[in-house]
Amino acid sequence: MNIILLGPPGAGKGTQARRLVEERGMVQLSTGDMLREARTSGSEMGKKVAAVMDAGQLVTDEIVIGLIEEKILEGNSAGYIFDGFPRTLGQADALNALLERNGVKLDTVVEMQVDDSALVARISGRFTCGNCGEVYHDETKPTQADGVCDECGSTDLKRRADDNAESLKTRLMEYYKKTSALVGYYYARGELQSVDGLQGVEEVAADISKALA
Ligand code: ADP
Ligand code: AMP
């Protein structure tokens, strides 16, 4: 099964993608994670995109399509979760072409609906484990022991450079200007299902499971 999780920054895509990986053995393809890895590795591409990401703008279609293509060519049988990709109509068209060329079928697109005030609260409290990638929140999902990841015991807990009020404003506007058009795009193709992302993590997960059934 291959799915897209579509939604604004902070909607809970990464949180739900990790559950699907754990429960179904699917492969999470997060372009945000790939770009952050490129930055950490110090690659030329990573250097090129750093300022754009910190400002909260989208990097070029060409770069993210290239990253996704590399992963698709590696192959996988359990299915992909596209998380944070596509984000423009150009990326959506490119993904269709790429999937078709590689004989991969897109099963459904799950839109996670969350309003702006909740997104701000979610993003301003987000931190993640630098070792295993577990996603936390100061209020709704703190670690059990202060400063230690519940999953892997690492103390490398991080906040993202772009999880600040100024960058978030830009990221939200980028979403409404460039990405939200994909809701109509996938609806018109009969591929869209929407879930109420304002619910708790368990309830959202249950609704996603229904959408995938
Ligand atoms: P995205 O990948 O869409 O940017 P994340 O999965 O990183 O979003 O979630 C953003 C923040 O919101 C994290 O701190 C996460 O713990 C929290 N979060 C995720 N889902 C929910 C939810 N259903 N209810 C409350 N908080 C949530
Ligand atoms: P995310 O981790 O999904 O919140 O993405 C973090 C940042 O990476 C975004 O604000 C963009 O700068 C960049 N990015 C991630 N995915 C894409 C994409 N599909 N298209 C363009 N830019 C992206």
Side-chain angles (χ1 to χ4, degrees), residues 25-207:
M26 295 170 79
V27 172
Q28 177 186 10
L29 296 183
S30 157
T31 40
D33 286 349
M34 293 175 206
L35 291 164
R36 280 185 287 278
E37 261 169 48
R39 290 180 64 168
T40 313
S41 75
S43 72
E44 278 313 306
M45 188 267 279
K47 286 182 203 152
K48 203 164 121 187
V49 298
V52 176
M53 289 176 75
D54 288 345
Q57 288 156 354
L58 295 187
V59 311
T60 63
D61 284 356
E62 196 191 357
I63 288 178
V64 287
I65 291 164
L67 288 170
I68 289 286
E69 184 160 22
E70 269 176 42
K71 298 287 178 186
I72 304 273
L73 292 175
E74 283 171 14
N76 133 65
S77 55
Y80 297 108
I81 307 157
F82 295 96
D83 162 9
F85 178 91
R87 262 170 149 107
T88 64
L89 291 167
Q91 291 177 24
D93 283 339
L95 179 63
N96 287 339
L98 188 59
L99 293 179
E100 208 172 294
R101 270 204 307 278
N102 290 279
V104 179
K105 181 180 169 289
L106 180 66
D107 293 281
T108 195
V109 178
V110 179
E111 180 207 3
M112 301 174 64
Q113 297 177 327
V114 177
D115 62 46
D116 287 3
S117 58
L119 295 174
V120 173
R122 285 186 185 183
I123 283 191
S124 44
R126 169 164 62 188
F127 60 100
T128 55
C129 174
N131 181 49
C132 72
E134 185 65 6
V135 185
Y136 293 97
H137 189 278
D138 291 325
E139 269 119 49
T140 59
K141 197 191 169 197
T143 52
Q144 280 164 18
D146 236 11
V148 183
C149 176
D150 297 348
E151 295 298 315
C152 72
S154 168
T155 52
D156 182 21
L157 300 175
K158 300 179 170 170
R159 287 181 199 267
R160 279 169 47 172
D162 59 347
D163 276 352
N164 61 71
E166 196 50 40
S167 165
L168 176 57
K169 222 189 297 168
T170 309
R171 284 155 68 198
L172 278 177
M173 290 310 121
E174 288 283 81
Y175 179 80
Y176 292 117
K177 279 193 278 188
K178 298 174 183 166
T179 310
S180 61
L182 298 183
V183 172
Y185 177 96
Y186 287 113
Y187 174 75
R189 292 169 59 95
E191 292 170 335
L192 188 78
Q193 304 194 68
S194 300
V195 304
D196 176 4
L198 277 173
Q199 305 174 95
V201 172
E202 297 302 324
E203 288 77 14
V204 176
D207 281 357

